[in-house]
Amino acid sequence: MTWQQTIDEEKDISYEEGKIDGASQKALESAENLLREGDSPEKVARCIGLPLEQVIQIKENLSVRA
């Protein structure tokens, strides 16, 4: 493998990791917004695809900040 191939491969890996991180951040933001609108943690978990325990924790954190 050439140096350029190694660099290109690392770029591809970094790009994919960035996409995953961005999607995760968007899911968390969406969950917060839905919880603020009054949706139940069960509904948010089901619709967003996050674990229920994580959504409950987000809701608890929102309550502490309020």
Side-chain angles (χ1 to χ4, degrees):
M1 183 177 289
T2 68
W3 181 248
Q4 187 61 45
Q5 289 172 322
T6 302
I7 291 172
D8 290 342
E9 186 176 306
E10 288 298 318
K11 282 183 189 177
D12 291 341
I13 292 169
S14 295
Y15 177 76
E16 289 301 318
E17 288 174 353
K19 281 177 38 179
I20 292 168
D21 289 346
S24 295
Q25 184 62 37
K26 183 63 178 169
L28 294 173
E29 290 171 6
S30 295
E32 282 187 14
N33 290 335
L34 290 169
L35 290 167
R36 283 189 184 109
E37 290 294 320
D39 287 334
S40 71
E42 292 81 10
K43 180 178 179 182
V44 172
R46 189 173 59 250
C47 292
I48 300 294
L50 293 172
L52 179 57
E53 296 79 19
Q54 187 175 12
V55 175
I56 291 170
Q57 184 63 47
I58 293 168
K59 184 175 182 173
E60 290 172 359
N61 290 341
L62 288 174
S63 297
V64 170
R65 286 192 245 162

